[in-house]
């Protein structure tokens, strides 16, 4: 049995895509925390936010994370806001190799422009923000979250020119050179 791998990083960092590819490459199970929440709650993330707000969503997120935190032989992709306290970082790191995916800021903006399924990036009336509003919202959220992301065992900076496959191959290299045997 091998310690699990957890991927953290901002929305649009590629956690789900790379997590899925990585798990395939090393023969681990793949889980995406948002998908798990939606499955167990039988609701979309947007429905949960509209029913119980961000605070309610965060408690569900912490609840399901705590249930999955100690699983071995699996890659778990977190939602971008799942790691916002020191105790969460410490609990994840105690049982997993924690990897921070950090593509360039502008790449994140490009990926998130036009995203309608992320309530954190919409206006209170549900409409989309323009690019300047989006940049400033993302900057604010990132400033709050980056100190937690940066405590990961590994920080991986995918080059936007790389294909998802190449990014994942390079990510696996970083993981192996961190004395983590797969
Ligand atoms: C959130 C990120 C989303 C999802 C929810 C809130 C956030 O996941 O958990 O919309 O606060 O950063 P992704 O990072 O997979 O988009």
């Amino acid at each position: 049995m091998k310690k699990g791998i957890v991927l953290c990083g901002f929305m649009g960092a590629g956690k789900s895509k790379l997590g899925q590819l990585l798990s395939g490459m090393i023969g681990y199970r793949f889980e995406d925390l948002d998908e798990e929440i939606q499955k167990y709650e039988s609701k979309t993330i947007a429905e949960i936010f509209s029913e119980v707000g961000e605070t309610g969503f965060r408690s569900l997120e912490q609840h399901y994370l705590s249930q999955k935190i100690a699983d071995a032989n699996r890659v778990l992709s977190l939602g971008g806001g799942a790691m916002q306290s020191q105790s969460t970082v410490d609990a994840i790191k105690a049982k997993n190799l924690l990897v921070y995916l950090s593509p360039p800021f502008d790449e994140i903006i490009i990926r998130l422009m036009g995203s309608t399924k992320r309530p954190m990036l919409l206006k209170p009336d549900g409409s989309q923000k323009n690019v300047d509003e989006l940049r400033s919202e993302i900057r604010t959220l990132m400033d709050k979250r980056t100190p937690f992301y940066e405590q990961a065992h590994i920080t991986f900076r995918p080059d936007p020119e790389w294909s998802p496959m190449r990014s994942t191959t390079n990510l696996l290299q970083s993981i192996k050179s961190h004395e983590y045997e797969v």
Side-chain angles (χ1 to χ4, degrees), residues 9-16 32-35 37 45-46 49 54 57-58 61 77-82 84 112 115 117-121 141 145 149:
F10 203 73
M11 291 174 262
K15 303 175 296 285
S16 304
D32 179 305
L33 187 57
D34 282 336
E35 296 295 329
I37 298 170
I45 300 291
F49 265 81
E54 185 186 355
F57 173 74
R58 296 295 171 211
E61 190 176 43
S77 294
L78 302 180
Q84 300 196 61
L112 294 178
S115 167
K117 53 176 194 151
R118 293 180 168 97
M120 293 295 292
L121 300 179
L141 290 174
R145 297 172 179 187
Y149 296 152

Side-chain angles (χ1 to χ4, degrees), residues 171-182:
L171 170 60
L172 182 53
Q173 254 344 94
S174 304
I175 289 175
K176 285 181 173 164
S177 59
H178 197 82
E179 294 179 8
Y180 180 90
E181 275 181 47
V182 292

Side-chain angles (χ1 to χ4, degrees), residues 76-179:
L76 175 67
S77 294
L78 302 180
M83 223 176 60
Q84 300 196 61
S85 74
Q86 192 57 44
S87 56
T88 303
V89 176
D90 294 343
I92 295 172
K93 285 175 74 179
K95 301 275 182 194
N96 297 271
L97 181 78
L98 180 60
V99 178
Y100 168 31
L101 293 187
S102 177
F105 182 76
D106 279 350
E107 180 64 18
I108 288 189
I109 302 291
I110 291 167
R111 293 184 192 169
L112 294 178
M113 265 187 319
S115 167
T116 51
K117 53 176 194 151
R118 293 180 168 97
M120 293 295 292
L121 300 179
L122 298 174
K123 293 185 184 175
D125 69 358
S127 65
Q128 287 188 42
K129 296 185 170 164
N130 69 35
V131 70
D132 291 334
E133 292 166 331
L134 191 66
R135 284 185 90 90
S136 118
E137 177 66 28
I138 289 177
R139 179 51 75 206
T140 305
L141 290 174
M142 263 188 187
D143 287 350
K144 242 175 46 194
R145 297 172 179 187
T146 304
F148 298 109
Y149 296 152
E150 282 180 337
Q151 296 181 49
H153 296 109
I154 296 174
T155 293
F156 180 71
R157 303 186 191 282
D159 184 324
E161 299 290 309
W162 296 342
S163 67
M165 200 62 187
R166 178 156 176 216
S167 293
T168 313
T169 306
N170 291 350
L171 170 60
L172 182 53
Q173 254 344 94
S174 304
I175 289 175
K176 285 181 173 164
S177 59
H178 197 82
E179 294 179 8

